Amino acid sequence: MSIEIDILNGDASWPMAEPLFKAVWPPHVVEKLPWAGIVFAHADLRVLVQEEPEGVVCHVGIYRREVKWNGRRIRAGGIGGVATREDSRRQGYASIALNAAIQTLKDEGATDFALLFCEPHNAPFYMGRGWKPFDGEIYADQPEGRVRFEAIAPYVYDLRRAPRQGTIDLCGLPW
């Protein structure tokens, strides 16, 4: 077995990632999730793990954004759209892709912390990799305007200095 890990432009690589998203989150599944109906941002970069002959088996989106934490501007690296094909889970692909995403943010050197949102059943996975719960309020844009984002729980990862509480305004769509 051999795998390939690519970090690609978000919009340009969407056609490669889209079949994975459709397999992991088909419409009948999404409509029952707590984040159904939420409009999400498009990834700036995508970490794609490919295995031959299956193709893309895992995805992690990377988002770069200046956000406001307690009214102060700070650079956040978003992690979102973490997905692994069902038949490829528990093989370390999500850990590999997540590590590549974090390393990308570290290498860029301009990001203070990483932020992701996850459902409760996924929290142990992220916490086991150094992510900490954010105990505060998150605000994000949606078509109807600025809203408090409560659909899925926020977790932070310290790159330079990760906030652990307070208010974060994503200054755009959530990821």
Side-chain angles (χ1 to χ4, degrees), residues 132-137 154 156 163-167:
K132 308 280 187 224
F134 176 76
D135 183 28
E137 296 179 355
V156 295
R164 297 290 304 279
Q165 55 191 344
T167 302

Side-chain angles (χ1 to χ4, degrees), residues 116-140:
L116 64 76
F117 302 93
C118 78
E119 296 176 59
H121 68 275
N122 290 324
F125 171 80
Y126 294 108
M127 290 175 68
R129 284 149 186 82
W131 292 81
K132 308 280 187 224
F134 176 76
D135 183 28
E137 296 179 355
I138 302 282
Y139 289 88

Side-chain angles (χ1 to χ4, degrees), residues 146-160:
R146 184 174 179 260
V147 299
R148 185 167 176 193
F149 187 71
E150 300 176 289
I152 35 187
Y155 288 80
V156 295
Y157 187 92
D158 187 26
L159 296 172
R160 284 194 233 187

Side-chain angles (χ1 to χ4, degrees), residues 73-106:
R73 294 197 175 276
I74 188 169
R75 293 291 304 172
I79 300 294
V82 179
T84 304
R85 278 180 28 168
E86 190 169 347
D87 62 352
S88 298
R89 292 181 184 158
R90 302 200 123 357
Q91 297 181 42
Y93 295 139
S95 292
I96 290 167
L98 188 60
N99 289 342
I102 291 296
Q103 190 61 51
T104 299
L105 292 170
K106 285 180 180 178

